[in-house]
Amino acid sequence: MTDQRTITIRPGGPDDAATVLRLLDGATAWLAERGRTGQWGTEPASADPRRIAQADAWASGGGLHLAMLGNATVGALVVGSATDYVPPATEPELYVNLLVTDRAYAGNGIGARLLAYAAELARDRGLGLLRVDCYGGDDRALVRFYEGCGFTATDPFTVRRPGRDPWPGQVLERRLD
């Protein structure tokens, strides 16, 4: 395992949209190879106009942060406001809109390091609550990952998608000291 201190984090910008799509494509392929298509399906994000627009918005929105291992971009974090499909927070919060890591570097603590960075950002802004939502279907492995990073599952939800199966989600929160 890589020492998490060797992972640096830099702000992202408009030129990093393609990097976000690359990370999403890799994670989608990795999930599909394991038969776990409920989270992001099977098609690359880079071939989906909606996902391309989403990556562009994340990259230009000021909330993108990239994990670097040397010169390699190994993860992406987007923070901002909660999405419309989750129950609203009852207090000011920082919301994790995206967390994705390069599966070639799995087991190096990249996701945990990015979540720790999100907590630092929230604290720096005087916020005591960090929330995230994730795919809550199948074996709930992603929910367990977030719980292992100090989050507590709160509100389950379902996103209805015309012409597609409903998407089961789970909101998790972490109180910050």
Side-chain angles (χ1 to χ4, degrees):
M1 182 169 170
T2 299
D3 183 337
Q4 286 188 11
R5 291 172 295 190
T6 64
I7 299 167
T8 59
I9 299 175
R10 71 165 179 86
D15 292 340
D16 295 309
T19 299
V20 171
L21 290 169
R22 176 187 60 80
L23 290 166
L24 287 168
D25 286 354
T28 300
W30 182 86
L31 288 165
E33 287 169 5
R34 285 152 184 77
R36 301 175 63 110
T37 59
Q39 182 174 341
W40 285 335
T42 59
E43 298 303 313
S46 61
D48 180 343
R50 184 186 66 81
R51 297 292 273 171
I52 293 167
Q54 189 176 46
D56 287 339
W58 284 332
S60 62
L64 174 62
H65 305 273
L66 299 173
M68 308 297 295
L69 194 53
N71 291 325
T73 303
V74 296
L77 166 76
V78 177
V79 294
S81 300
T83 54
D84 293 338
Y85 53 78
V86 300
T90 57
E91 64 187 86
E93 68 174 342
L94 186 62
Y95 202 86
V96 174
N97 301 109
L98 174 72
L99 178 69
V100 62
T101 62
D102 187 327
R103 301 314 305 159
Y105 296 88
N108 284 293
I110 297 162
R113 175 66 183 100
L114 284 166
L115 289 172
Y117 186 76
E120 292 171 29
L121 290 172
R123 283 187 198 97
D124 289 349
R125 298 174 188 184
L127 301 171
L129 180 63
L130 181 64
R131 287 197 315 157
V132 64
D133 70 82
C134 70
Y135 179 65
D138 298 329
D139 62 3
R140 295 179 58 86
L142 194 51
V143 173
R144 286 193 306 279
F145 164 76
Y146 284 109
E147 288 173 336
C149 291
F151 286 79
T152 301
T154 56
D155 302 301
F157 64 94
T158 301
V159 177
R160 305 277 176 219
R161 307 178 302 175
R164 295 169 38 195
D165 289 338
W167 192 86
Q170 177 67 59
V171 177
L172 298 101
E173 70 177 33
R174 181 175 165 199
R175 296 261 161 217
L176 307 172
D177 298 329

